[in-house]
Amino acid sequence: MKLFLDTANVDHVAEVAAWGVLDGVTTNPTLVAKEGKDFKETVLKMCALVPCVSAQVTATDAEGMKKQAVEYAGWHKHVVVKVPMTTEGLKVLAFCRQKGIRTNCTLVFSLAQAVLAAKAGASILSPFVGRIDDAGESGMALIAEIMQAWSHYKFATEVLVASTRHTEHVTEAAKLGAHICTIPYEVFLKLPKHQLTDTGLDRFQKDWEKVQKN
Ligand code: E4P
């Protein structure tokens, strides 16, 4: 499973990329607004660190989104254009497929939407599991449905588990065979942690100190 960081913070991307486990980054207008930095500059800095950076269009009509898609894709070969799951968005996904522009179809909340995004040629599709959980349903149940459907066909579209809120979302995504999981920085920092690793290392250090004293 590829691991992406869900952020618009370049320092956080550099920090996690240094672990050697980071495959990409997803940004969205909310995350970009939170950092308050120039969008293009942020995307370009991230492209220097990882091979896949999702940059979301902000127009809502197909023609406006197509213009932005061409512009963003021209910034760097690591840019993946993020397009919302709307009928206008479907037109943009098909256009981008023809132009050889990689896309990430965002705001996916149903299997029907996932199938349409794949048929229109999205490179990646992003079901938002946390927001489904927030609404009182099971986000991971949708991932299970999509992965089951994917097992019947040869869709090239990768399933990216988005809107993750905790480490269990990440481990469940791996168990279900999702292709990608995007993870907020705070959750990413928890992934390498285990209490038995800490106590085990502490004991090794203390025992080694005894050897040194002999
Ligand atoms: C990623 O591509 C999404 O934009 C992101 O995971 C949304 O997460 P949120 O529901 O926490 O805003």
Side-chain angles (χ1 to χ4, degrees), residues 157-212:
T157 309
E158 292 185 293
V159 177
L160 182 157
V161 178
S163 180
T164 56
R165 303 269 191 264
H166 43 70
T167 56
E168 288 73 23
H169 275 148
V170 181
T171 50
E172 282 301 312
K175 283 195 243 175
L176 291 169
H179 305 98
I180 309 169
C181 187
T182 192
I183 307 162
Y185 175 71
E186 294 70 24
V187 177
F188 221 121
L189 292 185
K190 290 182 185 162
L191 293 176
K193 303 273 182 210
H194 196 289
Q195 199 198 338
L196 292 177
T197 305
D198 294 343
T199 54
L201 183 60
D202 191 49
R203 192 187 305 168
F204 284 147
Q205 293 298 110
K206 288 200 167 93
D207 288 343
W208 189 244
E209 279 166 24
K210 285 181 211 156
V211 174
Q212 302 300 301

Side-chain angles (χ1 to χ4, degrees), residues 4-7 25-31 54 56 82 104-107 109 126-132 134 160-165 182-184:
F4 285 12
L5 196 58
D6 198 20
T7 188
V25 174
T26 48
T27 65
N28 65 37
T30 307
L31 293 169
S54 287
Q56 188 164 332
K82 216 179 194 192
N104 174 355
C105 181
T106 191
L107 292 167
F109 292 95
S126 293
F128 277 33
V129 296
R131 294 194 196 184
I132 295 174
D134 294 345
L160 182 157
V161 178
S163 180
T164 56
R165 303 269 191 264
T182 192
I183 307 162

Side-chain angles (χ1 to χ4, degrees), residues 20-170:
V21 300
L22 194 61
D23 300 295
V25 174
T26 48
T27 65
N28 65 37
T30 307
L31 293 169
V32 173
K34 192 173 138 198
E35 296 302 325
K37 301 265 169 65
D38 181 74
F39 179 46
K40 181 177 176 183
E41 208 174 288
T42 298
V43 169
L44 287 176
K45 283 181 182 166
M46 290 175 169
C47 285
L49 295 164
V50 288
C52 188
V53 177
S54 287
Q56 188 164 332
V57 295
T58 49
T60 52
D61 63 301
E63 289 316 306
M65 286 191 272
K66 284 179 194 173
K67 271 192 201 134
Q68 288 184 314
V70 171
E71 183 197 340
Y72 296 176
W75 290 348
H76 197 287
K77 64 180 181 188
H78 292 175
V79 169
V80 175
V81 179
K82 216 179 194 192
V83 178
M85 176 59 232
T86 59
T87 49
E88 290 297 282
L90 289 172
K91 297 176 196 169
V92 180
L93 295 173
F95 166 85
C96 287
R97 172 171 54 184
Q98 270 192 336
K99 295 274 177 202
I101 296 172
R102 287 189 294 164
T103 50
N104 174 355
C105 181
T106 191
L107 292 167
V108 170
F109 292 95
S110 73
L111 178 56
Q113 290 180 324
V115 170
L116 289 178
K119 298 272 296 174
S123 318
I124 295 171
L125 65 86
S126 293
F128 277 33
V129 296
R131 294 194 196 184
I132 295 174
D133 290 354
D134 294 345
E137 289 173 36
S138 167
M140 294 317 297
L142 174 60
I143 301 301
E145 274 182 27
I146 295 172
M147 295 317 295
Q148 189 196 0
W150 257 229
S151 74
H152 300 305
Y153 306 105
K154 290 196 172 84
F155 288 135
T157 309
E158 292 185 293
V159 177
L160 182 157
V161 178
S163 180
T164 56
R165 303 269 191 264
H166 43 70
T167 56
E168 288 73 23
H169 275 148
V170 181

